Amino acid sequence: MSYADTLPDDVRRRGRIYATVSAVAGCVSEVMLDSSAIIILLFTMLHASPTVTMFSSSLTGLMGVFLMIPNACIADRIGLKLSVKIACWMGFAGFMLIAAAPFCGGFAVPLALAGTFIYCSQRSLYGSAWYPLLDNFLRADERGKFFSTMRTCYMLFNGAFLFVVGLVLEKNSSIRLLQAAVAVAAVCMLIRWHCIKRFPEDPDAKTGTYKFRQSLHTSIRNAPLTGFSVYQCILVLSCTALLPLTLIYLRKYVQMEPGKVQLLSSVGIAGSICGYFLYGRLTRRVKLKHLELTVHLMYMVLAYLLFGLDCRMPGFPVLVGIIIFCNAVAGSWLMCNNSMEYLALARPGNKTMAIAFCTTYSNVGAAIGRVGSSVLLGGVLLAPEWTCFGYKVSVYQSLFLISALIATMALGLLPIMPSFVPEHEDYYNPGE
C-alpha cells in the first residue's frame, strides 16, 4: 500500500487543488518558453539571429541532458520540497533577467540568453521532485483524471493570458509589453512554491542516504523503463522543434507581423486546452497504447504537412493555424501519456531516479532536435532554398521533412513500449 492510499479523501483532494494552482502559476513561464512566441519575439526584437533564437528554445532539453540525473540525486539528498524552493527562486531570477535584458544595450542578447540558461537549468531540479511529490497524495486510479484536469486549468489560464498579450501586440508591437509579460511569469514562479510547500508529504521518506549507483543500476535493469525511454528519445527528437521552427519560419521567412505570430501561437495553446480536456475522458475509453500510437501518427503527418505547405497558398494563415492546433493537441496527449508512464514505471523506493532516467532520455531527444535545428539553420549543410515539384522549399521546410522522416522510422520502435507488451517481469503499474 502506498502512502497516498493511507490518506483521507479530503487530504488528497486538498493536495490535488494545491497541485493544480501551483501548475497554473508555475507553468506561465514554461508555456511562454515552450509553446508561445513571446520569448522568440523578444529575441527577434533584440536583433538576435535565427540560430540564437532557436538555440534559446533548446536550452531546456540541453540542460536536462546533463542535469536531470544529478539533480535527482540532489533532490533525494536535500529533500523534495527544498529542491522545489531552490528551483522556483532560480526560475524567478532567470525570467527577471530576461525581462531586464532590453535595458542593457549591447549586452541585451547575452543577458537574455543567460537568463534563459538560469531558468532552464532549474527545470530539471523541479522536475526531479514534482512527480515524487505528486505520488505522495495521488493514487494510481486518480492519475488520468488529475493530469487532464490540472493541465486543462493551466492551459486555460495561460491561453487567456497569452491571447490578450497577442491582441495588444497586434495594436502595439512594443518590447516593453513583452518585458512586462515575462516579469509576470517570473512572479508566478514564487506562487508555485507557495502552493507546493503545502503538499502532504510522507513522514517516513528519508533524505541524505541516496545510493546513486544502486538506484541507477535498478533503473537500467528495468526493461519496460528502458524501452519507454529509448522510444521517447527518438519521438521527441522528431517533434520537439516543430512549434518553435514554425514560429520562426512565420516571422523570419514569411515576414508575418509579430501580433499575428503570437495569435497563432495562442491557437496552439487552445489546442493544448482541448487536448488536456479530452484526455481524462479518452483514458476511460481508449487504451494507453492506442493513445501513444495516435500521438506518434499525428506528429508524423503534421511534419509532412508543414513541409508541403506553401506560404503563397490561399488561406495560408488558417492552414498553419490548424496545423499548430493539432500539433498542440498531440503535445498535450504526449505529456499526459508520459506522466502516466512515469508513475507506472517508477518502482517504489526508486521513484526519483526512475523518473529522472526517463526524462533524461526525453531531454536528449529535445536537445538534439532543437540544437540540431539551430545548427542547421545557421550552417551550410542545408540549402537556403531549393525546388521540389515546381515550388520553392525553404530551409525551414527542409527541417520539417527531416522531422517527418525520423518520426516515420521511429514507428518501428513502438513494440518496445511497455504498454504494447502484454506481460512484464519488471515493475510496471499503469493503474488501468
Side-chain angles (χ1 to χ4, degrees):
M1 180 181 292
S2 69
Y3 178 68
D5 292 319
T6 68
L7 294 176
D9 290 344
D10 62 322
V11 174
R12 295 200 322 279
R13 182 171 60 252
R14 188 163 57 248
R16 294 195 299 270
I17 292 171
Y18 277 126
T20 301
V21 177
S22 74
V24 168
C27 288
V28 174
S29 53
E30 294 183 7
V31 173
M32 193 173 285
L33 183 64
D34 297 338
S35 306
S36 165
I38 296 292
I39 301 298
I40 288 173
L41 289 174
L42 183 62
F43 271 90
T44 57
M45 287 185 180
L46 294 175
H47 305 294
S49 68
T51 299
V52 171
T53 304
M54 187 66 204
F55 179 73
S56 70
S57 74
S58 71
L59 283 173
T60 294
L62 194 61
M63 293 296 99
V65 171
F66 299 104
L67 297 179
M68 197 72 213
I69 289 178
N71 278 335
C73 300
I74 293 172
D76 265 337
R77 284 187 178 276
I78 69 175
L80 301 176
K81 287 189 176 179
L82 179 56
S83 300
V84 169
K85 181 179 181 179
I86 294 169
C88 289
W89 278 100
M90 286 178 64
F92 169 80
F95 253 53
M96 288 302 291
L97 185 56
I98 297 172
F103 296 124
C104 300
F107 295 100
V109 173
L111 284 174
L113 268 177
T116 309
F117 179 89
I118 293 169
Y119 175 81
C120 292
S121 64
Q122 61 81 29
R123 292 182 70 172
S124 57
L125 180 60
Y126 168 77
S128 297
W130 171 243
Y131 287 105
L133 280 171
L134 289 183
D135 214 34
N136 283 325
F137 58 85
L138 197 63
R139 293 192 318 218
D141 61 324
E142 298 170 335
R143 293 169 186 167
K145 183 179 178 181
F146 169 76
F147 286 123
S148 174
T149 303
M150 177 195 72
R151 288 176 172 145
T152 299
C153 289
Y154 81 62
M155 289 307 297
L156 277 170
F157 177 83
N158 281 283
F161 174 67
L162 294 172
F163 182 74
V164 170
V165 173
L167 288 177
V168 178
L169 271 176
E170 198 166 29
K171 296 179 180 178
N172 179 20
S173 301
S174 168
I175 197 169
R176 297 291 177 256
L177 176 63
L178 296 178
Q179 289 176 268
V182 173
V184 168
V187 173
C188 286
M189 291 294 292
L190 302 184
I191 299 175
R192 165 184 273 180
W193 163 238
H194 178 76
C195 294
I196 290 178
K197 68 182 180 182
R198 287 166 170 74
F199 282 11
E201 194 170 14
D202 187 352
D204 295 329
K206 297 180 180 179
T207 60
T209 59
Y210 193 66
K211 296 180 180 180
F212 171 76
R213 291 185 180 179
Q214 178 181 338
S215 186
L216 182 59
H217 185 59
T218 299
S219 298
I220 292 172
R221 288 191 305 166
N222 188 335
L225 180 76
T226 306
F228 171 77
S229 301
V230 171
Y231 169 79
Q232 278 301 304
C233 178
I234 306 301
L235 179 62
V236 171
L237 188 157
S238 71
C239 69
T240 186
L242 290 181
L243 179 61
L245 266 179
T246 301
L247 297 175
I248 297 171
Y249 164 69
L250 294 175
R251 184 70 189 105
K252 290 288 188 179
Y253 186 80
V254 181
Q255 298 292 305
M256 190 174 284
E257 293 297 320
K260 290 182 179 178
V261 174
Q262 174 54 29
L263 287 175
L264 279 173
S265 75
S266 297
V267 170
I269 292 172
S272 295
I273 293 169
C274 290
Y276 289 134
F277 178 76
L278 293 172
Y279 188 81
R281 291 155 179 79
L282 287 172
T283 53
R284 294 195 292 267
R285 297 173 175 83
V286 182
K287 290 185 176 181
L288 183 58
K289 67 177 182 180
H290 295 146
L291 283 171
E292 289 169 336
L293 176 60
T294 300
V295 167
H296 191 126
L297 293 175
M298 286 177 70
Y299 273 130
M300 185 179 72
V301 171
L302 291 172
Y304 279 120
L305 289 174
L306 283 168
F307 164 69
L309 207 59
D310 190 338
C311 61
R312 295 166 296 182
M313 290 177 176
F316 171 77
V318 175
L319 294 172
V320 172
I322 293 171
I323 290 174
I324 290 175
F325 181 91
C326 294
N327 181 77
V329 171
S332 64
W333 290 351
L334 175 66
M335 186 174 290
C336 289
N337 287 344
N338 289 353
S339 297
M340 295 279 283
E341 293 283 30
Y342 289 162
L343 295 178
L345 290 162
R347 186 190 299 272
N350 196 47
K351 294 176 183 177
T352 308
M353 176 56 75
I355 293 169
F357 185 84
C358 291
T359 50
T360 296
Y361 271 82
S362 181
N363 285 324
V364 168
I368 295 174
R370 294 200 177 191
V371 174
S373 298
S374 175
V375 171
L376 290 172
L377 274 178
V380 295
L381 292 177
L382 297 178
E385 283 188 343
W386 54 286
T387 303
C388 180
F389 298 109
Y391 80 96
K392 289 183 179 180
V393 178
S394 69
V395 64
Y396 299 96
Q397 290 162 289
S398 298
L399 290 170
F400 295 142
L401 178 60
I402 292 172
S403 295
L405 293 173
I406 294 172
T408 303
M409 291 185 290
L411 283 171
L413 294 175
L414 280 169
I416 69 173
M417 290 283 282
S419 59
F420 281 74
V421 180
E423 296 180 1
H424 306 273
E425 294 182 2
D426 294 293
Y427 184 84
Y428 185 63
N429 178 28
E432 292 182 349

